[in-house]
Amino acid sequence: MIELLPSILSADFAHLADQVAAAERGGGTVIHVDVMDGHFVPNITIGPPVVKSLRKATRLPLDCHLMVENPDEFIPAFADAGADWVSVHYEACRHLHRSLELIAHHGMKPGVVVNPATPVHLLREILPMVHHVLVMSVNPGFGGQQFIEFSLRKIRELAALRRDLGLAFRIEVDGGVAHDTVARIVQAGAELLVAGNAVFGAGEPERDARALLAAARQAEGA
Ligand code: DX5
Ligand code: ZN
């Protein structure tokens, strides 16, 4: 089932609760939270204290995308803050299997993320452990970047791998999901659509979430 995950990276942080509520009215069903440490990616954003406040502001699941080095150090704090889904980068984990087990051990849904340059076949052994695989369709660090076209092939490969292995993990895509790209992304097999700029960029999150989701659902039926 197609779901829209508004990414608060492009929201007005001074009015976060209102922005999240508007995106939810527009059809968002999971809130995507981008955590950046200034080391793994060239930007700094937010951490567990903001997740804790968000937890009080919405009942929607919080999908925390950790773009940090040594994610294992922070996983317990995200659990305490109320995160529901936590994903870690293949490129940031020396012991990926251990990191995914740690997330599950803390009662959260584990996900793995791959950067644009990382092939999806490298994930084969750990796919049975994950709730979702996040395919980055831009280089992580900033909102509002242009969608990298070869991500579509990676989404198709991942969908084929899931079928071959008889698994049920969900396929999430993040970066450049917008009105002009969403149909092809859905047709390639992605079902969890993260969107920051396309939802919050114009200051009309309810309207723009609704329009993007409608375009995605139309492509799904097509
Ligand atoms: C980028 C983040 C994304 C970002 C996507 O590093 O992981 O979640 O918010 O932004 P848009 O939808 O603006 O490309
Ligand atoms: Zn993200």
Side-chain angles (χ1 to χ4, degrees), residues 7 9 32-36 63 65 67 134 136 140 172 174-175 194:
S7 163
L9 184 61
H32 184 82
V33 180
D34 287 306
V35 178
M36 306 187 188
D63 170 32
H65 171 194
M67 288 161 274
L134 174 47
M136 287 308 300
E172 180 173 2
D174 184 4
V194 176

Side-chain angles (χ1 to χ4, degrees), residues 193-213:
L193 308 170
V194 176
N197 192 49
V199 168
F200 295 105
E204 291 279 357
E206 180 177 349
R207 177 197 72 186
D208 292 341
R210 186 171 289 129
L212 188 61
L213 193 54

Side-chain angles (χ1 to χ4, degrees), residues 47-182:
V50 174
V51 172
K52 193 174 174 191
S53 294
L54 277 171
R55 182 66 293 154
K56 291 181 226 151
T58 178
R59 287 155 73 157
L60 296 183
L62 301 174
D63 170 32
C64 296
H65 171 194
L66 304 191
M67 288 161 274
V68 304
E69 288 179 1
N70 304 317
D72 294 14
E73 278 180 35
F74 303 98
I75 286 166
F78 281 96
D80 290 346
D84 299 281
W85 305 3
V86 166
S87 57
V88 291
H89 270 259
Y90 174 87
E91 303 84 5
C93 293
R94 188 162 289 165
H95 306 290
L96 178 59
H97 177 271
R98 178 179 291 151
S99 302
L100 294 169
E101 279 195 328
L102 190 61
I103 296 167
H105 174 77
H106 280 87
M108 302 179 292
K109 298 210 184 310
V112 63
V113 194
V114 280
N115 275 340
T118 303
V120 294
H121 69 79
L122 292 174
L123 302 177
R124 188 184 175 102
E125 305 307 330
I126 52 85
L127 287 176
M129 304 177 66
V130 299
H131 166 266
H132 55 293
V133 175
L134 174 47
V135 175
M136 287 308 300
S137 41
V138 299
N139 288 292
F142 302 96
Q145 301 182 78
Q146 201 186 347
F147 182 79
I148 295 174
E149 288 291 328
F150 68 68
S151 313
L152 294 173
R153 180 163 40 79
K154 292 175 68 180
I155 295 166
R156 283 194 291 269
E157 278 179 32
L158 196 55
L161 206 50
R162 179 173 61 181
R163 196 180 52 236
D164 292 349
L165 298 173
L167 295 171
F169 61 82
R170 306 190 72 192
I171 301 178
E172 180 173 2
V173 64
D174 184 4
V177 177
H179 228 81
D180 58 335
T181 53
V182 74

